[in-house]
Amino acid sequence: MSDADSPVDRLLETSPFDRHYGLEILEAGEEVVRGRVPVRERVTQPTGLVHGGVHASVAEALASLGTNHGVAGEGKIALGMSNSCSFLRPITAGAIHATARRRHRGRTTWIWDVELTDDDGKLCALGRVTVAVRTRPQE
Amino acid sequence: MSDADSPVDRLLETSPFDRHYGLEILEAGEEVVRGRVPVRERVTQPTGLVHGGVHASVAEALASLGTNHGVAGEGKIALGMSNSCSFLRPITAGAIHATARRRHRGRTTWIWDVELTDDDGKLCALGRVTVAVRTRPQE
Amino acid sequence: MSDADSPVDRLLETSPFDRHYGLEILEAGEEVVRGRVPVRERVTQPTGLVHGGVHASVAEALASLGTNHGVAGEGKIALGMSNSCSFLRPITAGAIHATARRRHRGRTTWIWDVELTDDDGKLCALGRVTVAVRTRPQE
Amino acid sequence: MSDADSPVDRLLETSPFDRHYGLEILEAGEEVVRGRVPVRERVTQPTGLVHGGVHASVAEALASLGTNHGVAGEGKIALGMSNSCSFLRPITAGAIHATARRRHRGRTTWIWDVELTDDDGKLCALGRVTVAVRTRPQE
């Protein structure tokens, strides 16, 4: 098994689900994570707007990835605990631009605020994600 | 344009995003909506658990669909307003089974509670989705 | 120190804040907790409606009390972790009637759904409260 | 009826409930609202920590007041729609210091983020409040 396949490395990559809908990570650290999703038909709901679940998925992905950046090296793992998003303005074209910022680093939970904007920089969704930090099971 | 392509019909179908990750609708009405998602690699996060964003997406989809069942015939449309999910127990195989129940039918907002369970019927996630009801733009 | 003053007993009483605005506990156990608050001027906002913070406070109180009923005997304590309420319909007179039902009993967190109704039994607010279970510090 | 008793003025004051537990408004406008609550026994839960419901109440009060500052002059009124708080760190003494910042000004809903800190400036709770904007009934 190469390093690229190690459990820690895997925690710092995008997940199969995130790759499936098209999340690209632009920056990842334990305080800030940034990503984008190109708007294609696959991320829309029936009227052509970006599906609210995509906003929630991006928020979840960025918060989990950022927490793993902080804890994976210590034998721990991030597990999403709750995810709350408000949808302010529709996105229909271009890309979803997302920035997650850590608001709380507790011993057992981290909290992230996530802003999702359109190509014009307008705020389209707000997410708050609580991530539990658990000991990683041995593989 | 056939009936199958009418704007109202389209609101009562699954969306491109939901089909992309694999949501199947089992029952849909304005009070209860039920669906399922087979667990395949595409809905997982790096450790093989179902991605929290999938739970949120299913909750969003069911609540929006149910609201459209109630309002699409009156020239209105459902628009997701907020989505809040708690993740209780991981799902790693089988299917996600989801049931959305309407808790509030207001003039401008509907509220749905969504339960997501595994093949054993164990509660794995809880969602609460607020859906705005707006007048549908003319096409 | 009498039994009535023991730390465990204190956890199973209403709190100073809850007594201050007028919460009365009608039933308390680790699965269901019920209470009521008479509507007096002290629980209203400027237009005479019950203040949203009162609904949130009642939800928090009932969920914490119920969790303490389940864990206080084992040397643990309930600590509110998150509280999310939706306000559906105003209450202006009579009483707030609240019922909290446990939805999840995890090792480290419990989740409660709380319904708040008016004298006619109409649903006026919905709360979801996550309570952390921690080891009680020695006094 | 003097100006001080006009409906608009009343909307820009603290409410009976907020005065009851001790909220003091330090600054109020349609983009930022700041307040504080002295920690006295009346705002605590059984173990002496500030009750989570107090944090939620302060968040609700500040968001509603700020929205009223923006809309009351136009014959409209703010009505709390949802309130979501996360509790990060206990407060046991001194004061609760709260700052609400508007994140979204929509036609029918405003969204506020509220930070609650202790005397040392440490973040103790985070709130997100959605406020509906409605036409004010004639008195």
Side-chain angles (χ1 to χ4, degrees), chain B residues 84 86 88 103-104 111 113 115 123 126-128 130, chain C residues 84 86 88 103-104 111 113 115 123 126-128 130:
Chain B
S84 182
S86 296
L88 315 181
R103 299 305 311 276
H104 176 63
I111 298 181
D113 272 351
E115 295 187 7
L123 187 63
L126 280 173
R128 179 160 290 157
T130 301
Chain C
S84 181
S86 296
L88 316 181
R103 299 304 311 275
H104 175 64
I111 297 180
D113 272 350
E115 295 186 6
L123 188 63
L126 280 172
R128 179 160 291 155
T130 300

Side-chain angles (χ1 to χ4, degrees), chain D residues 16-77:
Chain D
F17 178 59
D18 297 318
R19 286 194 296 272
H20 187 61
Y21 67 76
L23 174 64
E24 303 160 11
I25 299 297
L26 304 176
E27 174 188 348
E30 64 168 284
E31 294 191 19
V32 175
V33 184
R34 292 190 312 114
R36 68 190 288 279
V37 180
V39 176
R40 286 172 286 192
E41 192 192 11
R42 68 163 81 154
V43 296
T44 61
Q45 36 94 305
T47 59
L49 314 181
V50 169
H51 193 295
V54 176
H55 290 302
S57 298
V58 173
E60 185 77 17
L62 268 51
S64 298
L65 183 61
T67 305
N68 273 330
H69 266 271
V71 306
E74 305 163 3
K76 296 188 184 294
I77 190 171

Side-chain angles (χ1 to χ4, degrees), chain A residues 84 86 88 103-104 111 113 115 123 126-128 130, chain D residues 84 86 88 103-104 111 113 115 123 126-128 130:
Chain A
S84 182
S86 297
L88 316 181
R103 299 304 311 274
H104 176 63
I111 298 181
D113 273 349
E115 295 185 7
L123 187 63
L126 280 173
R128 180 161 290 156
T130 301
Chain D
S84 182
S86 296
L88 316 181
R103 298 305 311 275
H104 175 64
I111 298 181
D113 272 350
E115 295 186 7
L123 188 63
L126 279 172
R128 179 160 291 156
T130 300

Side-chain angles (χ1 to χ4, degrees), chain A residues 56 59-61 63-64 67 78-85 108-114 127-134, chain B residues 52-53 55-56 83-89 124-128, chain C residues 81-84 109 111 128-130, chain D residues 84-87:
Chain A
E60 185 78 16
S64 298
T67 306
L79 283 175
M81 194 164 171
S82 66
N83 180 319
S84 182
C85 287
T108 57
T109 54
W110 289 31
I111 298 181
W112 296 76
D113 273 349
V114 188
R128 180 161 290 156
V129 181
T130 301
V131 182
V133 175
R134 301 279 184 246
Chain B
H55 289 301
N83 180 319
S84 182
C85 286
S86 296
F87 311 117
L88 315 181
R89 180 190 298 270
C124 297
L126 280 173
R128 179 160 290 157
Chain C
M81 193 165 172
S82 66
N83 179 319
S84 181
T109 55
I111 297 180
R128 179 160 291 155
V129 181
T130 300
Chain D
S84 182
C85 287
S86 296
F87 311 116

Side-chain angles (χ1 to χ4, degrees), chain C residues 14-25 36-40 42-43 53-62 96, chain D residues 17 20-21 42 51 53-54 57:
Chain C
T14 53
S15 69
F17 177 59
D18 296 318
R19 285 194 296 272
H20 186 61
Y21 66 77
L23 174 64
E24 302 161 10
I25 297 297
R36 68 189 289 280
V37 180
V39 175
R40 285 173 287 190
R42 68 164 79 153
V43 296
V54 176
H55 290 301
S57 298
V58 172
E60 185 79 16
L62 268 51
I96 308 166
Chain D
F17 178 59
H20 187 61
Y21 67 76
R42 68 163 81 154
H51 193 295
V54 176
S57 298

Side-chain angles (χ1 to χ4, degrees), chain A:
Chain A
M1 188 173 77
S2 77
D3 272 5
D5 294 316
S6 81
V8 170
D9 285 345
R10 221 182 323 127
L11 294 176
L12 304 185
E13 290 171 4
T14 53
S15 69
F17 177 59
D18 297 318
R19 285 194 296 271
H20 186 61
Y21 67 77
L23 174 64
E24 304 160 8
I25 298 297
L26 303 177
E27 174 188 346
E30 65 168 282
E31 294 191 19
V32 176
V33 184
R34 291 190 313 115
R36 67 189 289 279
V37 180
V39 175
R40 285 173 286 191
E41 193 192 10
R42 68 164 80 154
V43 296
T44 62
Q45 36 94 306
T47 59
L49 314 182
V50 169
H51 192 296
V54 176
H55 289 301
S57 298
V58 173
E60 185 78 16
L62 268 51
S64 298
L65 183 61
T67 306
N68 273 330
H69 266 271
V71 306
E74 304 163 3
K76 296 188 184 295
I77 190 171
L79 283 175
M81 194 164 171
S82 66
N83 180 319
S84 182
C85 287
S86 297
F87 310 117
L88 316 181
R89 181 189 296 270
I91 299 184
T92 57
I96 308 166
H97 306 264
T99 302
R101 292 184 182 83
R102 189 180 69 195
R103 299 304 311 274
H104 176 63
R105 178 188 180 142
R107 200 174 48 82
T108 57
T109 54
W110 289 31
I111 298 181
W112 296 76
D113 273 349
V114 188
E115 295 185 7
L116 302 113
T117 58
D118 61 16
D119 283 357
D120 297 329
K122 285 188 178 155
L123 187 63
C124 297
L126 280 173
R128 180 161 290 156
V129 181
T130 301
V131 182
V133 175
R134 301 279 184 246
T135 300
R136 194 163 64 240
Q138 297 301 314
E139 309 220 350

